[in-house]
Amino acid sequence: MLPNKMLEETLNKKVSILLKDNTILEGTLSGFDEYMNMVLSDVEENGENVSRKVGTVIVRGSNVVRIVQK
Amino acid sequence: MLPNKMLEETLNKKVSILLKDNTILEGTLSGFDEYMNMVLSDVEENGENVSRKVGTVIVRGSNVVRIVQK
Amino acid sequence: MLPNKMLEETLNKKVSILLKDNTILEGTLSGFDEYMNMVLSDVEENGENVSRKVGTVIVRGSNVVRIVQK
Amino acid sequence: MLPNKMLEETLNKKVSILLKDNTILEGTLSGFDEYMNMVLSDVEENGENVSRKVGTVIVRGSNVVRIVQK
Amino acid sequence: MLPNKMLEETLNKKVSILLKDNTILEGTLSGFDEYMNMVLSDVEENGENVSRKVGTVIVRGSNVVRIVQK
Amino acid sequence: MLPNKMLEETLNKKVSILLKDNTILEGTLSGFDEYMNMVLSDVEENGENVSRKVGTVIVRGSNVVRIVQK
Amino acid sequence: MLPNKMLEETLNKKVSILLKDNTILEGTLSGFDEYMNMVLSDVEENGENVSRKVGTVIVRGSNVVRIVQK
């Protein structure tokens, strides 16, 4: 299964996204494009020491390490 | 919803943009292009130790980590 | 043998993938594309100090260092 | 307003440009291209500990973080 | 002699490949493509402190520093 | 004035080029291309602690931060 | 003189190549392509603390900082 196809099947599902700066974003995948830019809703952002609700987030794909389905 | 479409809906709204150097820019999204280069107005720039008003800012997209709607 | 051809032969087999942040992902290669974006299933993620099961993972190819067949 | 359009309106005006190495260049924007390569004149270069006049400067766009209108 | 031509002549020969993370992979070059993605067989992976046999390896070209013929 | 146009006008003149590794190359600009790859002649290379004459130098554009006319 | 033209004139001559990891490769330039991938022969590799003969080397252009004619 192609990564793009997999992302399509993940739409509207909960994901956990690891960014290059080690932040983890947990939320619902609302959209994505061919660069792996993504729109997430109901996001909780988990950094080294802090965790907070941040609503809707647009992530630039170049920062994404990996996406895990929750 | 495609990231680009989401950015379009965010035009003229308040955003908080995290850059790779950990600076956070808070302001109104006045424009953007396909590289996520952005124009922000009425910006407050929040670095590690300092915070200051900087008016209008053009951000090079390659430095953007994520955009949060305020 | 072309790298792409080799990846094709590795489909549905166990792999160990080293990422740039030194994480190792072990799982079954379910898909990949021309950027080496990959879909892995039944993944165990092994970081510096932690190891955990994470199910299905989409990896952004730009983070991949090398892939070893298990 | 597109970032490129904004840069056009900034031509011949004073700008402050932050580079990835934390240097700040202050001068007049004399030109730019689609990569955000820029020509600045009457530049003052402000590094960590030093500040000096350097006349005309060509900046490679890949080093630019953000541009502030003065 | 073009680098690509040289790689072609190196097919099925022993190479030592230095990666950006300072790992050295020693093995037989079984394939490569235009991005310098490579397939190596009978690989010994030599990191800072460890050395081990890892069989067949697919290397993402963006991590390669240089290739030495053995 | 476009950056490329400015570089053209700088041909055969003295420049000071800052590289990403903080090295400064001072010499005469003998040529350049669209990637800002450059040929410099009569170069003095100034690193952190050392300074030396190195004759003709070809610089890969991706390492260039900025170019100052002397 | 274009950088590519300069490289052509440097073919079969001795060069000293600085890589991003601070390694210096000294050898004869046997070939190159448009990405500044290069083939060097009779190479001496000089790292921080070590120096050794390594024969023929293929260098990935993305690691090259600058090339000096010897």
Side-chain angles (χ1 to χ4, degrees):
Chain A
M1 174 176 291
L2 286 171
N4 253 24
K5 188 73 173 43
M6 192 70 205
L7 280 170
E8 236 166 71
E9 295 203 357
T10 309
L11 275 172
N12 301 316
K13 294 193 182 140
K14 299 271 281 179
V15 293
S16 167
I17 295 180
L18 175 65
L19 302 186
K20 281 189 182 164
D21 66 359
N22 272 318
T23 304
I24 289 176
L25 300 175
E26 302 199 321
T28 302
L29 183 65
S30 303
F32 68 93
D33 64 21
E34 81 246 51
Y35 305 107
M36 282 206 195
N37 296 323
M38 280 179 281
V39 182
L40 300 172
S41 48
D42 298 317
V43 175
E44 190 174 299
E45 186 176 69
N46 300 292
E48 301 277 305
N49 306 304
V50 290
S51 166
R52 54 191 184 133
K53 304 268 181 192
V54 289
T56 298
V57 177
I58 301 166
V59 182
R60 198 171 191 268
S62 56
N63 302 284
V64 172
V65 177
R66 55 104 182 112
I67 302 138
V68 172
Q69 292 185 325
K70 300 296 287 187
Chain B
M1 173 175 292
L2 285 171
N4 254 23
K5 188 73 173 43
M6 192 69 204
L7 280 170
E8 237 166 72
E9 296 203 357
T10 309
L11 275 173
N12 301 316
K13 293 192 183 140
K14 298 271 281 179
V15 293
S16 168
I17 296 180
L18 175 66
L19 302 186
K20 282 189 181 163
D21 66 0
N22 273 318
T23 303
I24 290 176
L25 301 175
E26 301 199 320
T28 302
L29 183 65
S30 303
F32 68 94
D33 64 21
E34 81 245 52
Y35 306 107
M36 282 208 197
N37 297 323
M38 281 179 281
V39 182
L40 300 172
S41 48
D42 299 316
V43 175
E44 190 175 299
E45 186 176 69
N46 300 291
E48 301 277 307
N49 306 304
V50 290
S51 167
R52 52 190 185 132
K53 305 268 180 192
V54 290
T56 298
V57 177
I58 301 165
V59 182
R60 199 170 191 269
S62 56
N63 301 284
V64 173
V65 177
R66 55 106 182 110
I67 302 138
V68 173
Q69 292 184 326
K70 299 299 286 186
Chain C
M1 176 176 291
L2 286 171
N4 253 24
K5 189 72 173 41
M6 192 70 207
L7 280 169
E8 236 167 70
E9 296 203 357
T10 309
L11 275 173
N12 301 315
K13 294 194 182 139
K14 299 270 281 179
V15 293
S16 167
I17 294 180
L18 175 65
L19 302 185
K20 282 189 181 163
D21 66 359
N22 272 318
T23 304
I24 289 176
L25 301 175
E26 302 199 321
T28 302
L29 183 65
S30 304
F32 67 94
D33 64 21
E34 80 246 51
Y35 305 107
M36 283 206 194
N37 297 323
M38 281 179 280
V39 182
L40 299 173
S41 48
D42 298 316
V43 176
E44 189 174 300
E45 186 176 69
N46 299 292
E48 301 276 306
N49 306 304
V50 290
S51 167
R52 53 191 184 133
K53 304 269 181 192
V54 289
T56 299
V57 177
I58 300 166
V59 182
R60 198 172 191 267
S62 55
N63 301 284
V64 172
V65 177
R66 55 103 183 112
I67 303 139
V68 173
Q69 292 185 326
K70 301 296 287 187
Chain D
M1 173 175 292
L2 286 171
N4 253 24
K5 188 72 173 44
M6 191 70 205
L7 280 170
E8 238 166 70
E9 296 203 358
T10 308
L11 275 173
N12 302 315
K13 294 192 182 140
K14 298 271 282 179
V15 294
S16 168
I17 295 179
L18 175 66
L19 303 186
K20 282 188 180 163
D21 66 359
N22 274 318
T23 303
I24 289 176
L25 300 175
E26 302 200 319
T28 301
L29 183 65
S30 303
F32 68 94
D33 64 20
E34 81 245 53
Y35 305 108
M36 282 206 197
N37 297 324
M38 281 179 281
V39 182
L40 300 173
S41 48
D42 299 315
V43 175
E44 190 175 300
E45 186 176 69
N46 300 291
E48 302 276 306
N49 307 304
V50 290
S51 166
R52 52 190 185 133
K53 306 268 181 192
V54 290
T56 299
V57 177
I58 301 165
V59 183
R60 200 173 190 268
S62 56
N63 301 284
V64 173
V65 177
R66 55 104 183 114
I67 302 139
V68 173
Q69 291 184 327
K70 299 299 284 186
Chain E
M1 175 176 292
L2 287 171
N4 254 24
K5 189 71 173 43
M6 192 70 206
L7 280 170
E8 236 166 69
E9 296 203 358
T10 308
L11 276 173
N12 302 315
K13 294 193 182 141
K14 299 271 281 179
V15 293
S16 168
I17 295 180
L18 175 66
L19 302 185
K20 283 189 181 163
D21 66 359
N22 274 317
T23 304
I24 290 176
L25 300 175
E26 302 199 320
T28 302
L29 183 65
S30 303
F32 67 94
D33 64 21
E34 81 247 49
Y35 306 107
M36 283 206 195
N37 296 323
M38 280 178 282
V39 182
L40 301 173
S41 49
D42 298 316
V43 176
E44 189 175 299
E45 186 176 69
N46 299 292
E48 301 276 306
N49 306 303
V50 291
S51 166
R52 52 191 185 132
K53 305 268 181 193
V54 290
T56 298
V57 177
I58 301 166
V59 182
R60 198 171 192 268
S62 55
N63 301 285
V64 172
V65 177
R66 56 106 183 109
I67 303 138
V68 173
Q69 291 185 326
K70 300 297 285 187
Chain F
M1 173 174 292
L2 286 171
N4 253 24
K5 188 73 173 41
M6 191 70 205
L7 280 170
E8 238 166 70
E9 295 203 356
T10 308
L11 276 173
N12 302 315
K13 294 194 182 138
K14 298 271 282 180
V15 293
S16 169
I17 295 179
L18 174 65
L19 302 186
K20 282 188 180 162
D21 66 0
N22 274 318
T23 303
I24 289 176
L25 300 176
E26 302 200 320
T28 302
L29 183 65
S30 303
F32 68 94
D33 64 21
E34 81 246 51
Y35 306 108
M36 282 205 196
N37 297 324
M38 281 179 281
V39 182
L40 300 172
S41 49
D42 299 315
V43 176
E44 189 175 300
E45 186 176 69
N46 300 292
E48 302 276 307
N49 307 304
V50 290
S51 167
R52 52 192 184 133
K53 306 269 181 190
V54 290
T56 299
V57 177
I58 301 165
V59 182
R60 199 173 190 267
S62 55
N63 301 285
V64 173
V65 177
R66 56 102 184 115
I67 301 138
V68 173
Q69 291 184 327
K70 300 298 284 187
Chain G
M1 174 175 291
L2 286 171
N4 254 24
K5 189 72 173 42
M6 191 71 206
L7 280 170
E8 237 165 70
E9 295 203 358
T10 309
L11 275 173
N12 301 315
K13 295 193 182 139
K14 298 270 282 179
V15 293
S16 168
I17 295 179
L18 174 65
L19 302 186
K20 282 188 181 163
D21 66 359
N22 274 317
T23 303
I24 289 176
L25 300 176
E26 302 199 320
T28 302
L29 183 65
S30 304
F32 68 94
D33 64 21
E34 81 245 51
Y35 305 108
M36 282 205 196
N37 296 323
M38 281 178 282
V39 182
L40 301 172
S41 49
D42 298 317
V43 175
E44 190 174 299
E45 186 176 69
N46 299 293
E48 302 276 306
N49 307 303
V50 290
S51 166
R52 52 191 184 133
K53 305 268 180 191
V54 290
T56 298
V57 177
I58 301 166
V59 182
R60 199 172 190 267
S62 55
N63 301 285
V64 173
V65 177
R66 56 105 184 111
I67 302 137
V68 173
Q69 292 184 326
K70 300 298 285 186

